[in-house]
Amino acid sequence: KMNSTMSEEPDALSVVNQLRDLAADPLNRRAIVQDQGCLPGLILFLDHPNPPVVHSALLALRYLAECRANREKMKSELGMMLSLQNVIQKTTTPGETKLLASEVYDILQSSNMSDMDNVNEMNYRRRKAQFFLGSTNKRAKTVVLHIDGLDDSSRRNLCEEALLKIKGVISFTFQMAVQRCVVRIRSDLKAEALATAIASTKVMKAQQVVKSESGEEMLVPFQDTPVEVEQNTDLPEYLPEDESPTKEQDKAVSRVGSHPEGAASWLSTAANFLSRSFYW
């Protein structure tokens, strides 16, 4: 634990959230894994007593594992696979967090398997992970939003905070270049709830992107009447996805205003914090 003289330092949750945000940008993923302090730090965060810290560290690792070139190094990093197993097996771990840890474990474990073994192993582990979710594991659906005003990283953070508060939101991917957000939600959550949450930021407004019969994309405005949104009192829910709903395109997904040199300086700050927190 940090003493009072370090109170001006960022706390564990803000550090891991910054790493998660950096990892969300495909352009940063190689650098984070190659940095000497960040991967060991994220592994140590998996054993943190605060559940949101563990969940956020897992989301960061999930992003990093999307980059195929990172997987072998991540898998062989000291403590990685063992820590993921501990999260999955701990009785106190929330179901959504177990499922997310299983997904990261699957991706890394199958990094050197043949495609067929890969599919069989992931299906087996996914069924095992679903056991933890019980009745909350309803089918998920994907909603694509066009968000007016989503034009910099601070707006993206506002949008992320608003979405994380909604019970039933599973995961989301931002495409900053085209002001879009692809959201995975439980099938019993109305898409209007997303619009209400985004409107609550007072600086952004969402429309739904739908395809017409001819395959052309259209923007459909939501009703202006606010929908009652059930607040998420626990961690965000996370269900397995067979495929990310969007092809990863570095340019489309990268955040406006995120520069590699900015990320690098933040990485050194984070690594510095991690080494002081865990190793002194």
Side-chain angles (χ1 to χ4, degrees), residues 264-277:
S265 70
W266 211 96
L267 279 175
S268 66
T269 308
N272 212 4
F273 167 83
L274 291 167
S275 63
R276 271 206 297 277
S277 303

Side-chain angles (χ1 to χ4, degrees), residues 13 17 20 51-56 58-59 94-100 133 136 160-172 184 186 231-239:
L13 188 58
N17 283 346
R20 180 201 64 199
V53 171
V54 176
H55 195 86
S56 197
L58 283 167
L59 280 170
E96 292 84 357
T97 306
K98 283 180 192 262
L99 191 52
L100 183 50
L133 272 181
T136 62
E160 186 175 66
E161 280 169 26
L163 291 172
L164 279 172
K165 286 177 186 164
I166 305 172
K167 194 167 176 59
V169 167
I170 300 160
S171 64
F172 37 79
R184 293 269 291 166
R186 283 214 326 236
Q231 294 290 296
N232 208 354
T233 52
D234 199 4
L235 295 172
E237 293 189 344
Y238 201 101
L239 294 176

Side-chain angles (χ1 to χ4, degrees), residues 107-119:
I107 292 167
L108 299 182
Q109 185 63 35
S110 59
S111 59
N112 54 5
M113 287 185 185
S114 73
D115 285 348
M116 204 53 232
D117 287 344
N118 191 340
V119 168

Side-chain angles (χ1 to χ4, degrees), residues 18-19 21-23 25 27-29 31-32 35 38 255 257-270:
Q18 283 277 9
L19 280 171
D21 288 349
L22 287 170
D25 186 337
L27 299 177
N28 295 334
R29 288 172 187 165
I32 292 172
D35 182 275
C38 288
R255 290 181 283 143
S258 74
H259 300 291
E261 60 274 17
S265 70
W266 211 96
L267 279 175
S268 66
T269 308

Side-chain angles (χ1 to χ4, degrees), residues 7-198:
S7 59
E8 72 279 1
E9 289 290 333
D11 65 2
L13 188 58
S14 65
V15 169
V16 77
N17 283 346
Q18 283 277 9
L19 280 171
R20 180 201 64 199
D21 288 349
L22 287 170
D25 186 337
L27 299 177
N28 295 334
R29 288 172 187 165
R30 297 287 290 273
I32 292 172
V33 167
Q34 280 156 13
D35 182 275
Q36 289 190 327
C38 288
L39 208 52
L42 283 170
I43 292 169
L44 287 165
F45 276 139
L46 294 179
D47 198 35
H48 200 278
N50 187 10
V53 171
V54 176
H55 195 86
S56 197
L58 283 167
L59 280 170
L61 291 170
R62 177 72 178 79
Y63 280 130
L64 296 175
E66 279 181 27
C67 174
R68 210 171 274 275
N70 282 342
R71 291 175 190 170
E72 277 303 315
K73 180 165 178 16
M74 289 176 70
K75 184 182 176 182
S76 60
E77 189 72 32
L78 186 69
M80 171 70 81
M81 303 307 274
L82 198 61
S83 296
L84 288 169
Q85 283 179 318
N86 286 342
V87 173
I88 296 163
Q89 287 162 9
K90 243 189 219 167
T91 51
T92 53
T93 305
E96 292 84 357
T97 306
K98 283 180 192 262
L99 191 52
L100 183 50
S102 285
E103 197 167 282
V104 176
Y105 187 94
D106 287 346
I107 292 167
L108 299 182
Q109 185 63 35
S110 59
S111 59
N112 54 5
M113 287 185 185
S114 73
D115 285 348
M116 204 53 232
D117 287 344
N118 191 340
V119 168
N120 290 339
E121 172 76 5
M122 287 190 79
N123 284 342
Y124 165 72
R125 291 196 59 82
R126 182 165 287 161
R127 281 199 303 277
K128 196 172 166 186
Q130 282 170 350
F131 163 78
F132 297 115
L133 272 181
S135 60
T136 62
N137 187 15
K138 295 173 179 157
R139 285 187 66 78
K141 61 186 178 185
T142 301
V143 178
V144 182
L145 302 174
H146 177 84
I147 302 174
D148 293 314
L150 181 65
D151 47 24
D152 64 29
S153 56
S154 66
R155 293 279 177 93
R156 188 194 91 110
N157 289 342
L158 268 180
C159 190
E160 186 175 66
E161 280 169 26
L163 291 172
L164 279 172
K165 286 177 186 164
I166 305 172
K167 194 167 176 59
V169 167
I170 300 160
S171 64
F172 37 79
T173 305
F174 289 94
Q175 298 176 322
M176 296 299 293
V178 287
Q179 293 188 300
R180 284 192 181 177
C181 182
V182 181
V183 192
R184 293 269 291 166
I185 60 175
R186 283 214 326 236
S187 56
D188 56 347
L189 180 67
K190 287 188 167 63
E192 284 77 11
L194 306 177
T196 300
I198 288 162

